[in-house]
Amino acid sequence: MKELADFFRANAQRTGVSYADIRITGLARESLTVKNGRVDNISKSAEAGFGVRVLHRGCWGFAASNHVNRAEIERITMLAMEIAMASSTAKREDVRLDDTPAAQGTYVTPHTKDPFAWSTEEKLALLFDWNKKMKSVKGLTNATSSMDFFREEQYFASTEGALIEQTILESGAGIEAVAIQNGEMQRRCYPNSFRGQFHTGGWELLEPYDIGGNAERIAEEAVMLLSAPELPHMRTTLIIEGAQLGLQVHESIGHPIELDRVLGMEAAYAGMSFVTLDKRGNLKYGSDIMHVTADATLPGGLGTFGWDDDGVPAQRVDIIKDGVFLNYLTNRETAGIVGQRSNGTNRADGFNRAPIIRMTNINLEPGTWELDALIADTEDGIWMETNKSWSIDDRRVNFQFGCELAREIKGGKLGKVYKNPNYTGITTEFWGSMDAVCNKNHWKIWGTPNCGKGQPSQTAHVAHGTAPARFRNVEVGVRG
């Protein structure tokens, strides 16, 4: 690969472009699903190719190919240059990159149990076991167990001298129990909804969730929800468990702080943001106990890597401190607009997509409460867990989330179960009502492997570290 990188740089420099980089990528995917005691899906795929970006006449040009050889690199570089020249006829202002130094190095996701080294039979044995335990529960209609694995090998080089080699390994697994009766369906998932929990790392990071040990409980809860009452409409105190709170962070903090959205670069598809440039350092985003970071160095997060696709090193940045908004997610193109160097968030979904600003690991930092103490301190309220649906406006101001299960809190104790719970709010009012966050003993990093953005559409793998937290005066049980 180094020989191809050297050829690319020499060739690009001869064309006279201001800047150029190449990402040579190989991606392997494996996905397995067992449903109701039968194999529903086994898929294994691999793809390889390269993408070239050039900065010429003040504009970007991007082109890609799945034929990795010298002649194709030369052709694609010229194509990217022609695209940049065409774009320059309609430019408003020149693209200017920040002065991040060119990096050289290697990064491999730490892991001890590589899932790609397992046989398909070993994986299926686990999936069948989880399925069997769920189906042992009377009244359960569908039992689904799944595993997903990704490995991306990437070689990045630029005309500035960057030379980076990375291997990112991801592992995910989960179960879903569905109960149907009299035209009504209830669902429970574990450890998280939408095919479970995901980490960068090997199988060793999924073992602590003991998916098999929780299979019967999850199936029993799905059946129980069929006869549970619906959560009534009211304003109350709400405690949100970690996985659901991770999606809340994703939608109402992670997306609004992407600087390309703020600047209108994503307005046509993903929408914009209420966190306009005048808000930096001035917006009271939440209560005084709210501390949010973007941390691409966090072990196990889907937003963890060595360098982003600009060649900027992974880093930890304060986004919100003491409730005050401090920093956007930036890349080398946008960072200068807010007077900074890039904080390393430019990533692409594969070799044939140009990188755009994506979340890394956006985390609500842990607080001081033990979970039992937090519930005991809540006289009257509701507990909600596991996402079922979400809706949020294109500037991320108003939101509504549906969850799989809620429990009443009375006199500091968990009680009655409710089905079809949801809650709604306005972003800054909601985060301003947060008066307690559980401590690091209850803090986990939750993987989100399906974050959509961009035109053409790209799917990013990101994560959110959270612990259960309490919010006051929240509207729940919204109907109609």
Side-chain angles (χ1 to χ4, degrees), residues 212-230:
N214 284 276
E216 288 187 36
R217 175 182 65 82
I218 289 299
E220 289 168 353
E221 289 180 355
V223 174
M224 174 182 62
L225 283 169
L226 288 173
S227 56
E230 287 203 329

Side-chain angles (χ1 to χ4, degrees), residues 1 39 48 95 309 326 364 371 404 408 439:
M1 292 298 177
V39 175
V95 172
D309 291 341
L326 298 177
L364 176 64
L371 180 57
E404 292 183 355
E408 175 186 64
N439 62 29

Side-chain angles (χ1 to χ4, degrees), residues 42-88:
I42 299 176
S43 64
K44 298 182 180 182
S45 64
E47 62 182 43
F50 70 94
V52 168
R53 287 191 309 176
V54 305
L55 190 54
H56 186 56
R57 295 186 181 178
C59 287
W60 284 116
F62 175 79
S65 172
N66 59 354
H67 299 285
V68 185
N69 56 61
R70 284 189 172 208
E72 189 70 349
I73 287 173
E74 189 172 7
R75 186 184 74 84
I76 290 297
T77 302
M78 287 304 299
L79 179 58
M81 185 176 171
E82 291 168 6
I83 292 170
M85 291 171 66
S87 298
S88 70

